Amino acid sequence: VITIDADLQDDVTAIYEMVAKYNQGFDVVYGVRSSRQTDTFFKRRSALAFYSLMKHMGVDMVPNSADYRLMSKRAVTALLKFKERNLFLRGMVPLVGYPSAKVLYERKERFAGESKYPLSKMIRFAFDGISSFSTVPIRMIMSLGFLVILISIFFLIFTLVQWMRGAVISGWSSLMISIWFLGGVQLVCVSVIGEYVGKIFKETKQRPRFTIEKDDFTPKFK
């Protein structure tokens, strides 16, 4: 199976090389852009930022590869075992795990029409990818909560020093320390709940734990 966008920008002659890679034993062949010269400066920078962000979030993706790819029958069958409904295919296909290769090609200018992916859709696309594959944002909230608690401890020390010097307004110290400390505790509590929700989130996806590439087991006894 070969998937390709309908805007005629992907080079169809790369299909020959994809099929050659398939005949060499690769089950997944990614069409990868050799450059982004046809993109605007903003599109190039935002694309690089997107792939860098996804990598830091723990999402395994092939940079500069969209939906132009070849997949063998068994790779497609393995992909269909993923039961989730919010499909982020760029992150799901690498999870199949079969041997893969890349084919570089030069993307052409758009033949007709305009891009259907403005900035708002790109941001939504990135959010879908992160929320479908990563629980890192939950841990970031927990880190933020501990940071706020540390700031509240610093405020506690600072206000005690100011109180001993007699340079504080009555009630200001307790109010500021309470706000910062309780805010940090709330963030930590929310992130702890989020950890449990994240585990439920992963369980409900019911993704296959592994994919058997080759089975050489032959029973000795009937």
Side-chain angles (χ1 to χ4, degrees):
V1 174
I2 297 177
T3 57
I4 186 171
D5 289 337
D7 56 11
L8 304 181
Q9 286 188 272
D10 296 321
D11 185 6
V12 294
T13 60
I15 292 177
Y16 295 107
E17 193 173 349
M18 287 182 175
V19 174
K21 292 285 186 182
Y22 166 76
N23 290 326
Q24 293 172 16
F26 295 101
D27 288 274
V28 183
V29 183
Y30 300 97
V32 179
R33 297 175 62 176
S34 56
S35 68
R36 286 186 167 270
Q37 298 302 320
T38 57
D39 290 343
T40 62
F41 174 79
F42 174 76
K43 186 69 178 291
R44 287 197 298 269
R45 302 308 300 178
S46 60
L48 291 174
F50 168 71
Y51 287 114
S52 176
L53 175 64
M54 298 300 282
K55 182 178 180 181
H56 284 87
M57 290 292 174
V59 183
D60 184 20
M61 293 180 59
V62 179
N64 296 320
S65 174
D67 295 313
Y68 190 21
R69 67 176 73 88
L70 175 147
M71 298 183 69
S72 67
K73 181 178 179 179
R74 67 172 183 171
V76 174
T77 302
L79 182 64
L80 291 175
K81 293 180 181 178
F82 290 74
K83 299 180 181 180
E84 55 206 90
R85 295 182 179 273
N86 296 317
L87 302 179
F88 186 74
L89 288 175
R90 296 190 196 184
M92 292 173 63
V93 174
L95 294 179
V96 170
Y98 286 126
S100 63
K102 301 176 183 177
V103 169
L104 298 178
Y105 70 96
E106 191 72 32
R107 201 171 199 200
K108 304 174 183 178
E109 295 282 352
R110 181 177 293 275
F111 178 76
E114 297 179 354
S115 174
K116 302 299 188 297
Y117 261 82
L119 178 60
S120 59
K121 279 194 175 181
M122 290 172 61
I123 293 174
R124 197 179 314 128
F125 180 74
F127 181 78
D128 286 341
I130 294 171
S131 60
S132 295
F133 280 82
S134 178
T135 56
V136 172
I138 296 174
R139 295 187 176 94
M140 291 174 64
I141 294 173
M142 179 177 285
S143 300
L144 178 62
F146 283 119
L147 177 63
V148 172
I149 290 175
L150 289 175
I151 293 174
S152 69
I153 293 173
F154 169 77
F155 264 111
L156 173 62
I157 297 171
F158 174 75
T159 51
L160 286 175
V161 172
Q162 293 294 91
W163 177 76
M164 287 186 290
R165 294 174 56 190
V168 294
I169 301 173
S170 178
W172 180 84
S173 305
S174 59
L175 180 63
M176 292 300 296
I177 294 171
S178 299
I179 290 174
W180 279 90
F181 183 76
L182 289 175
V185 169
Q186 287 175 345
L187 286 174
V188 171
C189 291
V190 168
S191 60
V192 169
I193 296 172
E195 284 288 336
Y196 287 96
V197 174
K199 285 180 170 55
I200 296 171
F201 166 76
K202 290 180 179 179
E203 289 292 334
T204 55
K205 285 182 176 294
Q206 298 182 351
R207 289 174 178 168
R209 292 192 225 176
F210 52 83
T211 302
I212 298 175
E213 179 183 350
K214 188 177 181 181
D215 186 2
D216 290 331
F217 175 74
T218 302
K220 294 182 180 179
F221 304 100
K222 294 185 179 179

